């Protein structure tokens, strides 16, 4: 993950006692390049581009982190992993939770890990478009993607526009998050 291409988004909310820092967002060059390549491939097949799915991106990052020390294996279709909760990854339910993903919205998703030494961009792209993975990239059911990379590993998580593969945020968490965000603002009204 090259931090050189990072977009630092810092929101500072100052109100007497309150200082809120929204964490740094990193645009990973390798991931953006790959998504562009995948979308060119999709467009050449008359398919719409994959849109970035934030929750799936979070999951892809976490998964890349988890498999980065695994032996580098050749990409074959058999390596595609259904994204349902029965996934073979260690701590999977925990990772879903960390990424605020409702497990019920993952069943139709698919996880495509690839290992390429130094993540050489052309090889990474062809590992998705010229192997058994191609049939997932060339599938109109998938409309979104999350990408994550760590060392020699790239992970693409494909999502659908249907609820069963949308990787939607857990509604409760969203409400809770908003509440957490606005509570200090509300509180400050009463304190003025
Ligand atoms: C997921 O689905 C199951 C059964 O379909 C349901 O019992 C459960 O409450 C759902 N969980 C969430 C977080 O929506
Ligand atoms: C996939 O990547 C490996 C390197 O890990 C490379 O040897 C292989 O040629 C690539 N396959 C395709 C079809 O691009
Ligand atoms: C993509 O999928 C369509 C329909 O499923 C199929 O006809 C076509 O041959 C596929 N193209 C490639 C390059 O895999």
């Amino acid at each position: 993950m090259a931090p050189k291409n990072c977009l630092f988004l810092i929101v500072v909310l100052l109100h007497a006692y309150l200082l809120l820092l929204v964490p740094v967002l990193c645009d990973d060059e390798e991931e953006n390049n790959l998504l562009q390549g995948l979308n060119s491939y999709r467009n050449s097949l008359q398919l719409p581009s994959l849109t970035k799915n934030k929750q799936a991106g979070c999951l892809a990052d976490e998964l890349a982190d988890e498999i980065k020390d695994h032996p580098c294996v050749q990409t074959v279709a058999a390596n595609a992993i259904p994204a349902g909760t029965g996934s073979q990854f260690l701590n999977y339910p925990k990772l879903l939770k960390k990424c605020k993903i409702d497990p019920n919205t993952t069943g139709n998703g698919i996880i495509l890990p690839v290992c390429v030494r130094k993540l050489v961009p052309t090889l990474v792209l062809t590992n998705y478009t010229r192997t058994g993975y191609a049939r997932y990239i060339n599938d109109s059911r998938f409309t979104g993607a999350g990408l994550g990379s760590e060392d020699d590993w790239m992970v693409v998580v494909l999502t659908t526009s249907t609820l069963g593969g949308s990787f939607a945020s857990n509604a409760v968490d969203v409400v809770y998050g908003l509440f957490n965000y606005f509570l200090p603002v509300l509180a400050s009204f009463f304190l003025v």
Side-chain angles (χ1 to χ4, degrees):
M1 291 230 255
K4 61 179 187 291
N5 222 35
C6 283
L7 174 69
F8 292 91
L9 233 196
I10 300 174
V11 176
V12 183
L13 228 179
L14 262 177
H15 195 282
Y17 59 97
L18 184 71
L19 175 71
L20 183 74
L21 289 175
V22 172
V24 173
L25 290 182
C26 264
D27 264 2
D28 196 356
E29 211 175 320
E30 280 143 355
E31 294 159 20
N32 285 337
N33 281 345
L34 176 60
L35 186 60
Q36 262 179 28
L38 294 177
N39 280 335
S40 302
Y41 177 75
R42 298 233 330 163
N43 296 342
S44 75
L45 298 170
Q46 319 290 331
L47 290 173
S49 295
L50 297 164
T51 54
K52 265 191 188 174
N53 180 306
K54 209 169 132 200
Q55 280 85 245
C58 169
L59 182 64
D61 272 334
E62 294 293 333
L63 292 175
D65 196 46
E66 195 173 299
I67 60 175
K68 66 176 185 232
D69 297 325
H70 286 205
C72 211
V73 290
Q74 197 76 8
T75 303
V76 289
N79 290 338
I81 300 159
T85 40
S87 170
Q88 67 203 54
F89 290 104
L90 223 61
N91 302 323
Y92 194 64
K94 218 186 202 166
L95 299 182
L96 290 181
K97 193 156 194 228
K98 189 169 176 188
C99 293
K100 300 198 182 348
I101 298 167
D102 177 348
N104 286 0
T105 65
T106 60
N108 294 338
I110 193 98
I111 300 163
L112 306 173
V114 148
C115 184
V116 171
R117 299 226 181 280
K118 305 219 182 300
L119 289 179
V120 179
T122 49
L123 281 182
V124 175
L125 180 61
T126 50
N127 262 267
Y128 282 100
T129 58
R130 298 216 192 125
T131 67
Y133 281 1
R135 74 180 169 95
Y136 297 103
I137 308 298
N138 175 22
D139 188 333
S140 59
R141 275 179 309 169
F142 297 116
T143 54
L147 286 75
S149 58
E150 201 70 54
D151 297 347
D152 293 341
W153 285 91
M154 176 67 75
V155 176
V156 172
V157 177
L158 293 177
T159 67
T160 68
S161 53
T162 56
L163 188 62
S166 58
F167 285 64
S169 297
N170 198 314
V172 175
D173 280 344
V174 172
V175 172
Y176 187 68
L178 284 177
F179 186 70
N180 264 346
Y181 185 80
F182 284 114
L183 189 64
V185 179
L186 278 176
S188 63
F189 271 109
F190 292 107
L191 289 174
V192 177

